[in-house]
Amino acid sequence: WEAATRHLAMVIDKADDFTGVMIDEERRIWKVEQNLVHLRYRHCMMAFGSGRGEALGAMEMGASAKRAVQVACKWDISCGLGVDVVRFA
């Protein structure tokens, strides 16, 4: 955590606004805000940003994370910059 937090601090100094996601070695999901507050999420799925509600609803109904973003982009006018998927071993 210390090394990651130091790196985040360097990045945040150059950004006006920041929200990040960290996944630890136990596959727990953490939201990191600009002031470096770490918030742990207790659910196995999470979404951030404009289409958050649409994406969470789609995942609750069985959609993959990628499909959930596609659904959010369809229904939320503020979404639409594409989908990137990262898989963790």
Side-chain angles (χ1 to χ4, degrees), residues 13-32:
D13 284 342
K14 298 177 179 135
D16 291 331
D17 193 17
F18 172 84
T19 299
V21 176
M22 292 176 64
I23 301 173
D24 67 19
E25 55 278 344
E26 295 177 25
R27 301 177 68 92
R28 294 177 298 193
I29 302 170
W30 299 80
K31 179 180 176 185
V32 183

Side-chain angles (χ1 to χ4, degrees), residues 8-76:
L8 286 173
M10 290 187 293
V11 172
I12 292 169
D13 284 342
K14 298 177 179 135
D16 291 331
D17 193 17
F18 172 84
T19 299
V21 176
M22 292 176 64
I23 301 173
D24 67 19
E25 55 278 344
E26 295 177 25
R27 301 177 68 92
R28 294 177 298 193
I29 302 170
W30 299 80
K31 179 180 176 185
V32 183
E33 295 183 345
Q34 188 162 359
N35 56 5
L36 297 183
V37 170
H38 295 68
L39 305 170
R40 181 173 170 213
Y41 285 90
R42 304 214 182 265
H43 302 284
C44 62
M45 61 183 156
M46 183 47 52
F48 301 100
S50 299
R52 177 182 183 275
E54 291 85 348
L56 286 173
M59 287 189 286
E60 183 68 25
M61 297 304 295
S64 67
K66 180 179 180 178
R67 181 65 183 135
V69 173
Q70 293 169 336
V71 169
C73 290
K74 177 180 179 180
W75 293 103
D76 189 307

